[in-house]
Amino acid sequence: MARKATIVRKTKETDITISLNLDGTGVYSIKTGVPFMDHMFSAVAKHGFFDLTIKAKGDTEIDDHHTVEDLGIAFGQALKKALGDSKGIRRYGEATVPMDETLAQIVLDLSGRPFLVYHVDLPKKYKLKEFDPGLGEDFFQSVANHAGMNLHINLFYGRDVHHMLEGIFKAFGRALDQATTIDPRIKGVLSTKGKI
């Protein structure tokens, strides 16, 4: 079974195409129109071993918010579609990743029930070039909502905002790889209910 999906999302604010292969090798081509998100998606693909292609245009002349939020929506939809009926997946994933002085943790459950816990304390009114780091929460909220993911993000400590976000995205890739991996011991879905 090919665990792949392509999602096209077009609105008056954005035009996004995402292709995702859960059983890839970490090959990626990312062009979101938001350079920092290109960098973050590259980390997710590389550390999650996902093949990922993203082409996006948005109204970034206003700000990055619409593009980042819609990227989260489209990525969440692609993940849900690629998982199909979720048979055989490990479902849960956890990764704690150091990034120099930063330590970030992701714990997730591909339960079909969206929920985000975001324990990330970033400096207020700080920008990475033109990117607002606060958009990270909007991105992950959109992913959780549209993938049906219970997602807990904990930033234990850090100093450099770039490192903080990069640690989070790398941990997300690793945790997602763990949760989406097929385990031959699992018959059907990993739930006592018999359904996710």
Side-chain angles (χ1 to χ4, degrees), residues 30-35 37-38 41 54-58 60 67 71:
I30 316 286
K31 293 179 180 144
T32 67
V34 181
M37 289 304 295
D38 292 358
F41 270 115
I54 302 176
K55 292 180 183 175
K57 291 180 185 176
T60 54
T67 302
L71 283 164

Side-chain angles (χ1 to χ4, degrees), residues 47-48 90-98 103-110 149-156 167-181:
H47 293 276
R90 289 187 175 167
R91 181 178 155 180
Y92 297 94
E94 187 277 330
T96 302
V97 170
L103 189 64
Q105 179 192 54
I106 298 281
V107 183
L108 61 85
D109 176 10
L110 297 172
M149 179 188 300
N150 184 326
L151 176 59
H152 293 247
I153 302 176
N154 298 301
L155 179 67
F156 295 119
I168 288 167
F169 275 85
K170 285 179 176 176
F172 180 66
R174 292 180 65 84
L176 202 52
D177 174 49
Q178 191 179 105
T180 59
T181 294

Side-chain angles (χ1 to χ4, degrees), residues 88 90 182-187:
R90 289 187 175 167
I182 298 287
D183 188 323
R185 298 172 296 175
I186 300 169
K187 305 304 177 198

Side-chain angles (χ1 to χ4, degrees), residues 13-14 16 59 62-71 135:
E13 299 163 341
T14 62
I16 297 171
D59 56 358
I62 296 171
D63 68 13
D64 295 336
H65 183 271
H66 296 145
T67 302
V68 172
E69 187 174 54
D70 283 11
L71 283 164
L135 293 176

Side-chain angles (χ1 to χ4, degrees), residues 71-127:
L71 283 164
I73 291 169
F75 184 78
Q77 290 172 340
L79 178 59
K80 187 172 185 176
K81 185 176 178 183
L83 284 170
D85 59 14
S86 296
K87 286 184 178 174
I89 66 165
R90 289 187 175 167
R91 181 178 155 180
Y92 297 94
E94 187 277 330
T96 302
V97 170
M99 180 74 190
D100 294 347
E101 83 297 341
T102 292
L103 189 64
Q105 179 192 54
I106 298 281
V107 183
L108 61 85
D109 176 10
L110 297 172
S111 63
R113 297 184 303 278
F115 200 89
L116 174 67
V117 176
Y118 196 76
H119 290 159
V120 178
D121 187 18
L122 298 175
K124 305 297 182 221
K125 297 186 179 180
Y126 185 95
K127 291 225 174 185

Side-chain angles (χ1 to χ4, degrees), residues 127-141:
K127 291 225 174 185
L128 295 164
K129 285 203 169 183
E130 295 303 312
F131 185 79
D132 175 1
L135 293 176
E137 184 172 2
D138 298 321
F139 171 79
F140 284 112
Q141 184 67 70

